[in-house]
Amino acid sequence: MKSQPITPEHMINTRREFIRKAVQAGLLSCLPLASVSAASKLKITDEAKATRYNNYYEFSTNKKFVHIIAKDFKPEPWTLSIEGLVDNPLSISLASLPQAATHILRFRCIEGWSMIVPWQGFELAKLLELAKPTSAAKYVRFESIKRPSEMIGQRRNTLPWPYSEGLRLDEAMHPLTLIANGMYGKPLPNQNGAPLRLIVPWKYGFKSIKAIAKIELVAEQPQTTWNSVAPAEYGFYANVNPEVPHPRWSQRREVPLGELKKVRTLPFNGYEDQVAHLYKGMDLSKHF
Ligand SMILES: Nc1nc2c(c(=O)[nH]1)N[C@H]1C(S)=C(S)[C@@H](COP(=O)(O)O)O[C@H]1N2
Ligand SMILES: [Mo]
């Protein structure tokens, strides 16, 4: 006969459920961040790892140097413009952005490393609603700042500048799609995309464009930086998918920053329940 576990399964589940509900209700927000992450089963990456290993070609292609080379970038003052197919084009300063909250989310680079970051940010949908997209708007195009005087990587043609990205409008309106202006309870560091960057946690990291200066509502799928330079490696959709290998490596596993062992990569980076419906009827092995 099998021995009984000391705590019956249903009691463990009840406790988990209690913690989950309490977190959702904001009741545990007075606890240190670590307790909240334990409750949601996400182990937050060390801040020093997440802020000293960066992809940001405007500064350097060497991930370990970006945080040093980006020191003199001036993220303020800043204006973000929202234009194109909108009834109410906007030019917003940092002081008049929507209220930010903390969002603990997975982040997965196409190169095979990952992190779990407490971002401060707000839903992109809140900004788009202010601008009022017209019925002709079907996609959103994002453009980073071009400022070679402060971004020395832009003095070379490593990529066509400015860096640009795009989302389908329904992806952009999804509540997991954020504009982040902080991380680890502090303003966003230059190397992580100050003053404003996109976070799309179910997509590979290159979609999460940094130092956004312009958001444009458009009718057609926009050209995007990495997709235009290497379309076979960087799809427009770029949903995290362990089943679809990169042409040069498998995407089944990833190394969390600061850890030695690889872990399994999850479909849609763990957000399948929230976002899979956006892609009903699409062949995701083709639209990678
Ligand atoms: N403007 C701009 N945004 C960018 C990049 C870049 O080179 N330039 N790199 C992308 C890539 S490939 C990744 S993985 C993430 C890295 O974000 P992090 O440095 O905060 O980890 O930023 C993305 N956004
Ligand atoms: Mo990346």
Side-chain angles (χ1 to χ4, degrees), residues 55 109-111 113 205-206:
N55 268 329
C109 174
I110 198 167
E111 296 163 344
W113 54 269
F206 70 91

Side-chain angles (χ1 to χ4, degrees), residues 37-64:
S37 76
S40 60
K41 288 188 277 171
L42 291 176
K43 182 172 170 252
I44 292 178
T45 302
D46 286 344
E47 181 181 354
K49 302 283 178 197
T51 57
R52 286 166 173 69
Y53 188 81
N54 305 98
N55 268 329
Y56 203 169
Y57 280 25
E58 283 88 336
F59 293 104
S60 173
T61 55
N62 186 319
K63 287 186 259 292
K64 295 185 176 159

